[in-house]
Amino acid sequence: MARTARAGISCALAFVLAGPALAQDLPQSSFASWDEVVQARDASTMGGAPLRSLALPGWGQLHLSQRRGWIYLALEATGWALWANRRMAAASLRDEYRDLAWSSARIRTGARQDGDFTYYERLATWTRSGAFDSNPELAGIQPEEDVSTFNGSAWALARDIYVTPGTTPGPGDPAYQSALAYYTGRSYGPGFLWDWSGALAEKDRFSGLITRSDDRFRQATTAFAGLMANHLISAADALVSGAQQRRETPLAVWAEPTGGGTRWSAFLHLRRR
């Protein structure tokens, strides 16, 4: 029956990084068992590999002398390059469709104001916004009645929600006021009105630009998710492979910080049959 004899060989080297590098004698480390050596090594050298890979994929693998760390680093660089490329392409297309809307459809009544993404989606869907106040000469707001326009559809929806069918409440009626509040919150006012009626070809081009820009933004999001996955997978790989390496290698080498530098220690685990 094989018997295992455990022998510990500990050597310490100190490198003092204060001015010129000077080697100093340090007391030798002594351990009662191989398990204590492994625990000491875990706390210093190999124990930090998963954290290194979590911060920068591949770093932990390279720290463990595993060449596949370069693969993780390459994936990280490729992922960031793809993310930046997709983001820039999406932003460029977004600027292009906003400029096209302003020059071909927006009813310009003042300084240009760009809307949010939902606003431009509605420009791609609706040919006309309709008026916000259909009769500015009257006091108050006279909602758009043409349901083929966006604002007209907003008013029709407001009436469906708040006004009892078959009734015609006036401006002083609470139901009418509730419907009007809904309309003013959902419809678009001066500065954001549009009309593609004389530029339907430009409207089609505008819709295509929005679709392409949105696709690029989604691709950038996917690339970012891949980057996060690369960090987690690399960290998990470093954790597992580091544990396996600790079980298989008979030589433990690790660094321990000292007051004046770093002490390097080695422990050789010998098996005898």
Side-chain angles (χ1 to χ4, degrees), residues 4 68 82 93 130 137 143 146 154 211 226:
T4 302
R68 67 173 174 272
L82 179 61
L93 290 166
E137 296 181 0
D146 185 353
T211 299

Side-chain angles (χ1 to χ4, degrees), residues 100-112:
L100 179 60
W102 178 253
S103 63
S104 300
R106 299 278 297 275
I107 299 173
R108 288 170 274 182
T109 58
R112 173 173 167 174

Side-chain angles (χ1 to χ4, degrees), residues 238-257:
L239 179 65
V240 173
S241 58
Q244 183 178 8
Q245 192 174 111
R246 288 194 294 272
R247 289 193 300 268
E248 294 177 352
T249 180
L251 178 64
V253 180
W254 69 98
E256 298 174 279

Side-chain angles (χ1 to χ4, degrees), residues 7-42:
I9 302 173
S10 176
C11 57
L13 298 175
F15 299 92
V16 182
L17 304 177
L22 300 174
Q24 298 181 347
D25 294 333
L26 293 174
Q28 289 188 341
S29 301
S30 60
F31 296 90
S33 68
W34 174 251
D35 290 339
E36 291 184 6
V37 174
V38 172
Q39 291 174 4
R41 182 181 60 183
D42 290 352

